[in-house]
Amino acid sequence: QQQVKQSPQSLIVQKGGISIINCAYENTAFDYFPWYQQFPGKGPALLIAIRPDVSEKKEGRFTISFNKSAKQFSLHIMDSQPGDSATYFCAASMRGSQGNLIFGKGTKLSVKP
Amino acid sequence: DTAVSQTPKYLVTQMGNDKSIKCEQNLGHDTMYWYKQDSKKFLKIMFSYNNKELIINETVPNRFSPKSPDKAHLNLHINSLELGDSAVYFCASTHTRARVAGNTIYFGEGSWLTVV
């Protein structure tokens, strides 16, 4: 049973466009929702994260939108750049879990120049 | 300096062999992890250690044995390697504050294990 479902599996966006990746979760005990970015040959790196007490968090061109009632959250990348081409993972963890992240299956983003 | 470093980065070995992957973090964190990323890039936690104590042991075959000699090191030893063990293994660390989720987890660059 997959606790965090991520879509789409892959995404192609033109330079300057908006990239949108969606995730849905099952467990209402989750209280921390990070997005990780992974470049080929590298480890995942934290991009941006949100807690369920806010509906949106923005850091530069990256925004998380969070819908607690729908148990969904999404990553929006504004003005997408070729350098954003990477695999993006949503994840979730719950309080007291010692940081055990449950990851989505990842979205491979390609930004075309 | 690399915050979370793993060695070796690449490892090709035959079925049945025993191998180890080493991990060190210089961030002063108290919790370390091993994650496995399969060929489809799915990331799943294997083990979590807090202050050298095993906290999480997901359903991993007992051929996998983590060892934490101190808070800065978490090694992974794998016995009797099988073809299905081929994957990328990531070490990670964080500073866990009691009853607070959401600490940034820092990942190493991964160890590519290929079993032939």
Side-chain angles (χ1 to χ4, degrees):
Chain A
Q1 182 184 359
Q2 191 182 346
Q3 294 195 58
V4 179
K5 295 182 180 179
Q6 183 172 347
S7 62
Q9 191 173 0
S10 62
L11 181 62
I12 299 174
V13 174
Q14 290 297 122
K15 179 182 175 181
I18 302 173
S19 304
I20 302 174
I21 304 171
N22 300 300
C23 282
Y25 63 96
E26 300 287 332
N27 192 337
T28 54
F30 288 145
D31 69 346
Y32 175 67
F33 301 89
W35 285 89
Y36 276 78
Q37 180 188 54
Q38 185 179 24
F39 291 106
K42 301 293 184 183
L46 180 67
L47 188 63
I48 186 172
I50 198 168
R51 293 185 183 278
D53 52 347
V54 297
S55 60
E56 186 175 280
K57 183 173 181 180
K58 184 175 180 178
E59 290 183 1
R61 296 184 295 110
F62 300 93
T63 300
I64 298 179
S65 297
F66 187 84
N67 185 329
K68 188 173 180 179
S69 60
K71 293 189 285 185
Q72 295 175 345
F73 58 110
S74 59
L75 176 69
H76 296 233
I77 306 174
M78 311 300 286
D79 186 27
S80 299
Q81 299 297 312
D84 296 330
S85 297
T87 300
Y88 292 81
F89 294 92
C90 62
S93 69
M94 59 185 94
R95 186 180 297 273
S97 69
Q98 299 286 336
N100 177 9
L101 289 173
I102 310 297
F103 282 92
K105 291 195 170 183
T107 296
K108 185 175 182 180
L109 171 66
S110 297
V111 181
K112 300 299 184 185
Chain B
D1 283 344
T2 305
V4 182
S5 58
Q6 310 177 214
T7 55
K9 188 170 176 73
Y10 299 102
L11 182 56
V12 180
T13 188
Q14 291 189 326
M15 281 175 52
N17 283 352
D18 303 338
K19 291 293 178 185
S20 293
I21 306 172
K22 296 185 177 182
C23 178
E24 176 183 5
Q25 55 92 5
N26 62 5
L27 298 166
H29 289 161
D30 60 355
T31 300
M32 296 185 71
Y33 311 85
W34 281 107
Y35 278 82
K36 179 180 179 180
Q37 187 170 47
D38 63 23
S39 59
K40 296 183 178 178
K41 288 193 167 284
F42 183 54
L43 270 163
K44 191 175 190 321
I45 192 167
M46 300 174 70
F47 301 103
S48 166
Y49 266 76
N50 178 261
N51 287 317
K52 302 195 303 176
E53 180 183 348
L54 179 64
I55 302 297
I56 294 172
N57 181 353
E58 291 296 311
T59 51
V60 176
N62 58 15
R63 297 182 295 104
F64 291 78
S65 53
K67 285 194 169 45
S68 182
D70 55 57
K71 285 197 306 183
H73 295 85
L74 180 62
N75 303 323
L76 182 65
H77 188 77
I78 315 170
N79 289 327
S80 303
L81 279 156
E82 301 177 356
L83 293 176
D85 297 333
S86 296
V88 185
Y89 293 87
F90 286 99
C91 178
S93 72
T94 193
H95 186 75
T96 305
R97 291 166 286 175
R99 293 184 290 280
V100 176
N103 302 297
T104 300
I105 295 178
Y106 295 85
F107 286 81
E109 296 208 333
S111 295
W112 268 253
L113 172 65
T114 302
V115 182
V116 297

